[in-house]
């Protein structure tokens, strides 16, 4: 059960203006306005526990309490305009932040905190389904709390007491909007996910649409369809849903709200069907407005189509910081935080303190990027992991003298490292997963060395259910055709944008308002999508993004044993020292005859077919545990041993 926020008077005095006490102050930027329509949407997705905000990135530093305050103001604004506003969340609310992952049990605090937000339509993401306990908590806590707002169109739950397979929630919902009185049919899908825990069943989308309930839903004749989905906009599942709904409803507007791909994107299916994806990690709050929605005609009116107005869709990707939220709500800093919003912020502060998330483990000497630095390079977090962290921190003492190839998928890494304090929270931001390390001993090197290339090149080696795209980061699974193509920023100062700088509230701090022509833009999203290149609410300086492979590999070849007279004790530390000395001396080691093939257990389903294609005759019986340490623990250990705690740079 989720409790309502109680007054936390002692904490409120220090957070009256929202955000967490140690959150960096947001920087004002030129802003594009939100366009209101007859029906409007605020959308979050793939928050992954980041509801405390980004504490090292000022432009995304607002917390869930600020979002609660923002939605309260925006709902009131919608009422004043006589239009409708719906709040949507499309899953992956868990795994990826210390606020969720460091508690015992996981999510001890976050369910109460998240649950303070009112949501009109929500669905499940794949991260709610990986672990049986997570699936059970979603079913027993989140589903009943949100009740009629929770939709599970193709997801079932297995009751532990009876073994019965039941719908996770209602398959679809119907409701009438508050102000315009639109009849809405809302669906909630997840993509065709097949790595879910055994107490859940994901019904393939194509199969679910053949079922009687779906055929009834698409014949309800609503004024608008709302399809919430933990589905990338460029994935096949939304295309399938669109075609089936459109075949039955040739003229009805359809709004898709997607996720999973961790990108800002908008896809136009036709003039009356548009989809939005609203980023990741609570960096982005999506805004979609729809104008020109007609009330559905009765049966005897269906032949008269001449009065139909054009439907207009607009979108914005809102940077999640307090200045931007105040600006769009039209509320100054003094009056922005509502009582409920302040209480939610206080709940987050209290939880972070109890979990000791600000404990410093070490100080990063430089930034390490997932996609903002090329791989391989000194600035790549993946190069750092394969060259430094994994060889030194993932060791089976009994096999430490054996040559080994150690494989981890890039999808196991979720975020960047910023120069400065590396905290307990940081370990979970980078890699929150519980996967351990397995291995096959003494694999011929000629066979083992081919595995990485196969994992990264895919091809006909793997069956359809083992698509290697699931090894990579979400952004690479179903990329937008615009990914990597930077906006020219030409829209700044032109139609659809404003030179509003500073943002609302900045002049309250005694700053003089200036135009955007002479300011330095901060780095950030410069999104191009099917509707153009003016979707971001704040104008940014563009960031270059680089593609990454599906997997990386650490090659560890210990040097030959020392002479019998040596005092070398053969420990992993000594092996590492000798290897470093040999490298410095320019010694070239011959390829080993055999290696231990070590891999994070998530990758295991792909390992056996890759080995077979490479000429190795191995099965699951050949696999055993290499180390019970998670990647999270390995990173924490390495940072604590190699980076000092003096962050005075």
């Amino acid at each position: 059960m989720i409790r309502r926020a109680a007054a936390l008077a002692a904490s409120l005095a220090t957070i009256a203006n929202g955000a967490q006490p140690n959150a960096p102050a947001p920087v004002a930027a030129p802003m594009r306005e939100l366009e209101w329509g007859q029906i409007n949407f605020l959308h979050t997705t793939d928050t992954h526990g980041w509801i405390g905000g980004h504490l090292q990135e000022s432009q995304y530093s607002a917390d869930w309490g600020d979002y609660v305050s923002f939605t309260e103001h925006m709902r009131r604004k919608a009422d004043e305009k006589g239009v409708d506003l719906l709040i949507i969340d499309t899953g992956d609310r868990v795994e990826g932040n210390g606020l969720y992952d460091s508690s015992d049990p996981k999510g001890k605090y976050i369910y109460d905190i998240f649950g303070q937000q009112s949501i009109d339509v929500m669905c499940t993401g794949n991260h709610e389904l990986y672990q049986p306990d997570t699936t059970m908590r979603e079913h027993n806590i989140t589903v009943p709390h949100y009740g009629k707002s929770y939709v599970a169109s193709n997801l079932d739950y297995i009751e532990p007491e009876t073994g019965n397979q039941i719908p996770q929630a209602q398959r679809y919902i119907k409701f009438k909007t508050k102000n315009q009185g639109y009849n809405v049919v809302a669906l909630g899908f997840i993509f065709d996910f097949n790595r879910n825990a055994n107490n859940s069943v994901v019904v393939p989308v194509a199969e679910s649409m053949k079922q009687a309930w779906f055929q009834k839903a698409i014949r309800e004749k609503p004024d608008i369809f709302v399809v919430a989905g933990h589905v990338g906009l460029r994935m096949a599942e939304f295309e399938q849903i669109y075609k089936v709904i459109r075949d039955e409803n040739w003229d009805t507007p359809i709004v898709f709200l997607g996720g999973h791909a961790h990108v800002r994107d908008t896809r136009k299916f036709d003039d009356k069907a548009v989809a939005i994806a609203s980023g990741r990690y609570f960096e982005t709050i999506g805004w979609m407005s729809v104008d020109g929605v007609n009330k559905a005609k009765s049966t005897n009116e269906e032949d008269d189509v001449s009065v139909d107005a054009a439907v207009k869709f607009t979108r914005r990707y809102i940077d999640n910081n307090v200045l931007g939220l105040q600006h769009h709500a039209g509320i100054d800093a003094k009056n922005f935080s509502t009582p409920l919003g302040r209480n939610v912020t206080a709940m987050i502060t209290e939880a972070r303190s109890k979990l000791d998330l600000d404990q410093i483990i070490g100080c990063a000497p430089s930034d390490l990027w997932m996609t903002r630095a090329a791989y391989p390079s000194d600035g790549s977090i993946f190069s750092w992991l394969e060259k430094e962290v994994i060889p030194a921190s993932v060791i089976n003492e009994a096999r430490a003298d054996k040559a080994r190839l150690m494989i981890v998928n890039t999808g196991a890494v979720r975020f960047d490292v910023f120069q400065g304090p590396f905290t307990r929270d940081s370990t979970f931001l980078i890699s929150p997963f519980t996967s351990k390390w397995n291995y096959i001993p003494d694999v011929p090197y000629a066979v083992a060395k081919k595995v990485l290339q196969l994992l990264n090149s895919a091809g006909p080696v793997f069956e359809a259910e083992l698509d290697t795209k699931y090894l990579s980061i979400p952004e690479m699974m179903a990329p937008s055709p615009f990914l990597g193509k930077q906006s020219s920023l030409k829209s700044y100062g032109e139609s659809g944008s404003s030179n509003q700088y500073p943002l609302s509230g900045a002049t309250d701090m005694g700053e003089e308002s200036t135009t955007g022509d002479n300011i330095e833009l901060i780095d950030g999203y410069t999104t191009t999508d099917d509707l153009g290149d003016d979707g971001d609410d704040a104008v940014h300086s563009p960031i270059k993004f680089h593609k990454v492979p599906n997997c990386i590999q650490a090659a560890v070849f210990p040097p030959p044993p020392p002479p019998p007279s040596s005092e070398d004790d053969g420990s992993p530390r000594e092996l590492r020292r000798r290897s470093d000395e040999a490298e410095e001396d320019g010694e070239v080691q011959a390829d080993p005859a055999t290696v231990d093939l070590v891999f994070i257990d998530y990758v295991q389903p792909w390992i056996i077919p890759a080995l077979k294609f490479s000429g190795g005759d191995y099965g699951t019986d050949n696999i055993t545990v290499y180390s019970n340490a998670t990647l999270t623990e390995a990173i924490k250990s390495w940072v604590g041993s190699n980076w000092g705690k003096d962050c005075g740079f």
Side-chain angles (χ1 to χ4, degrees):
M1 177 181 291
I2 293 175
R3 62 184 177 90
R4 295 300 296 171
L8 299 173
S11 303
L12 297 186
T14 61
I15 50 178
N17 292 322
Q20 289 301 293
N22 55 342
V27 178
M31 297 293 290
R32 301 182 178 103
E33 302 299 327
L34 304 184
E35 294 186 43
W36 287 79
Q38 294 165 307
I39 185 166
N40 307 275
F41 301 84
L42 284 170
H43 176 220
T44 52
T45 190
D46 296 88
T47 51
H48 286 286
W50 285 75
I51 58 177
H54 288 238
L55 302 184
Q56 292 178 295
E57 294 179 285
S58 62
Q59 66 268 44
Y60 314 122
S61 56
D63 67 21
W64 200 246
D66 300 313
Y67 183 47
V68 168
S69 295
F70 178 60
T71 56
E72 289 187 89
H73 293 306
M74 295 296 276
R75 284 193 191 275
R76 184 170 61 250
K77 202 168 183 177
D79 290 344
E80 292 170 353
K81 291 176 177 289
V83 299
D84 291 305
L85 176 64
L86 301 179
I87 313 300
I88 314 292
D89 185 84
T90 51
D92 272 11
R93 294 171 282 274
V94 303
E95 295 189 337
N97 189 288
L99 197 57
Y100 174 83
D101 293 283
S102 69
S103 66
D104 187 14
K106 291 181 183 294
K108 180 179 180 180
Y109 303 102
I110 207 168
Y111 290 104
D112 275 349
I113 297 167
F114 189 98
Q116 306 308 314
Q117 177 65 286
S118 63
I119 295 175
D120 297 295
V121 182
M122 71 188 309
C123 65
T124 308
N126 55 298
H127 281 266
E128 277 82 43
L129 302 178
Y130 275 112
Q131 303 297 328
D133 287 349
T134 313
T135 305
M136 180 179 67
R137 285 191 291 269
E138 185 71 10
H139 186 80
N140 293 337
I141 298 174
T142 309
V143 171
H145 175 73
Y146 282 103
K148 293 181 179 179
S149 298
Y150 204 116
V151 192
S153 297
N154 65 325
L155 177 63
D156 291 342
Y157 179 69
I158 306 297
E159 292 181 312
E161 302 85 2
T162 65
N164 291 337
Q165 181 175 330
I166 62 172
Q168 168 83 323
Q170 54 252 307
R171 296 303 194 197
Y172 74 101
I173 56 176
K174 298 188 298 181
F175 59 91
K176 186 182 292 288
T177 62
K178 178 182 179 182
N179 295 320
Q180 292 279 316
Y182 287 125
N183 290 312
V184 178
V185 166
L187 302 133
F189 284 92
I190 182 173
F191 70 97
D192 293 346
F193 179 54
N194 61 10
R195 300 295 299 273
N196 50 300
N198 60 9
N199 59 345
S200 63
V201 176
V202 176
V203 182
V205 168
E207 181 180 328
S208 69
M209 290 191 295
K210 298 175 183 177
Q211 296 173 352
W213 71 264
F214 183 84
Q215 294 301 314
K216 178 183 177 183
I218 63 175
R219 289 169 172 80
E220 294 279 7
K221 301 301 179 184
D223 303 316
I224 189 169
F225 283 98
V226 174
V227 183
H230 195 75
V231 181
L233 305 195
R234 312 289 168 168
M235 295 173 70
E237 290 87 343
F238 266 176
E239 182 80 27
Q240 294 166 356
I241 296 166
Y242 158 73
K243 288 180 178 178
V244 175
I245 294 177
R246 184 55 82 224
D247 283 348
E248 182 64 32
N249 301 267
W250 70 271
D251 202 39
T252 306
I254 311 170
V255 173
F256 291 85
L257 302 109
H260 185 59
H262 289 198
V263 295
R264 295 179 173 187
D265 193 16
T266 294
R267 181 180 181 183
K268 182 178 179 180
F269 290 97
D270 64 33
D271 287 344
K272 294 188 177 182
V274 173
I276 186 172
S278 302
R280 60 170 195 173
Y281 305 157
F282 202 37
E283 294 171 341
T284 304
I285 298 167
W287 172 266
M288 175 75 80
S289 67
V290 189
D291 237 343
V293 179
N294 292 321
K295 297 290 181 67
K297 303 176 181 68
S298 61
T299 303
N300 60 4
E301 296 175 313
E302 286 184 353
D303 291 335
D304 182 9
V305 297
S306 61
V307 296
D308 282 352
V311 178
K312 179 184 178 183
F313 294 84
T314 67
R315 79 320 182 204
R316 284 282 181 264
Y317 309 109
I318 301 171
D319 278 6
N320 183 39
N321 64 72
V322 175
L323 283 181
L325 300 185
Q326 291 169 359
H327 173 76
H328 292 309
I331 303 293
D332 61 25
K334 181 179 179 181
N335 297 300
F336 176 73
S337 294
T338 65
L340 178 58
R342 286 194 296 270
N343 282 326
V344 173
T345 292
M347 292 172 71
I348 296 169
T349 304
E350 183 180 40
R352 286 187 59 85
S353 177
K354 288 181 177 179
L355 295 171
D356 199 18
L357 294 182
D358 294 323
Q359 175 195 359
I360 294 178
I361 297 170
C363 293
S366 61
D367 298 327
L368 295 168
W369 304 108
M370 289 178 61
T371 58
R372 288 174 63 174
Y375 168 82
S377 73
D378 291 341
S380 168
I381 192 171
F382 300 111
S383 294
W384 172 65
L385 288 171
E386 72 178 11
K387 291 182 179 298
E388 302 290 343
V389 176
I390 295 173
S393 299
V394 182
I395 299 172
N396 181 324
E397 298 287 349
R399 307 284 297 182
D401 61 338
K402 304 294 184 182
R404 52 196 179 273
L405 299 179
M406 311 179 76
I407 294 173
V408 61
N409 63 304
T410 53
V413 179
R414 308 298 282 186
F415 203 59
D416 310 305
V417 174
F418 293 107
Q419 182 183 39
F422 187 99
T423 64
R424 183 167 187 253
D425 195 17
S426 302
T427 62
F428 296 101
L429 305 186
I430 295 170
S431 185
F433 305 122
T434 57
S435 297
K436 314 298 187 192
W437 298 83
N438 292 339
Y439 82 115
I440 300 174
D442 303 321
V443 178
Y445 178 66
V447 172
K449 70 178 183 180
K450 298 176 183 176
V451 171
L452 180 68
Q453 182 180 354
L454 289 171
L455 296 177
N456 284 331
S457 62
V461 181
F462 305 102
E463 297 177 0
E465 62 269 22
L466 288 178
D467 193 325
T468 54
K469 71 182 180 182
Y470 296 118
L471 295 169
S472 189
I473 61 175
E475 293 88 334
M476 301 303 300
M477 289 183 183
S480 161
F482 305 104
L483 184 66
K485 298 179 180 178
Q486 304 302 328
S487 164
S488 65
L489 297 179
K490 66 178 185 299
S491 57
Y492 169 49
E494 297 179 6
S495 175
S497 67
S498 73
N499 293 344
Q500 202 152 3
Y501 177 87
L503 298 180
S504 174
T507 53
D508 296 340
M509 298 180 286
E511 298 179 11
E512 182 179 352
S513 179
T514 63
T515 67
D517 296 331
N518 59 352
I519 67 168
E520 183 177 349
L521 300 178
I522 60 173
D523 293 346
Y525 289 101
T526 53
T527 308
T528 300
D529 57 32
D530 283 5
L531 300 188
D533 62 0
D534 62 349
D536 303 302
D537 75 324
V539 182
H540 299 130
S541 175
I543 296 169
K544 186 174 182 179
F545 292 92
H546 301 267
K547 292 184 178 181
V548 300
N550 295 329
C551 295
I552 59 172
Q553 176 178 274
V556 183
F557 297 162
S565 60
S566 171
E567 296 181 0
D568 189 325
D569 60 7
S571 67
R573 181 183 294 274
E574 286 296 330
L575 289 170
R576 180 73 176 172
R577 181 188 61 78
R578 280 194 276 125
S579 180
D580 290 343
E581 287 180 353
E583 185 174 334
E584 290 174 4
D585 293 340
E587 297 179 15
V588 178
Q589 288 182 247
D591 289 341
T594 63
V595 295
D596 287 350
L597 184 61
V598 184
F599 45 88
I600 206 158
D601 62 20
Y602 178 87
V603 181
Q604 182 168 314
W606 288 269
I607 292 292
I608 296 301
L611 281 171
K612 288 182 177 178
F613 192 82
S614 302
D617 185 17
Y618 296 96
T620 54
D621 292 344
N622 301 109
I623 297 174
T624 189
V625 175
Y626 186 81
S627 171
N628 283 317
T630 64
L631 183 59
T632 313
E633 293 164 342
I635 292 169
K636 180 180 179 181
S637 173
W638 190 94
V639 169
S641 299
N642 291 273
W643 288 345
K645 295 185 178 181
D646 180 9
C647 297
F649 46 76

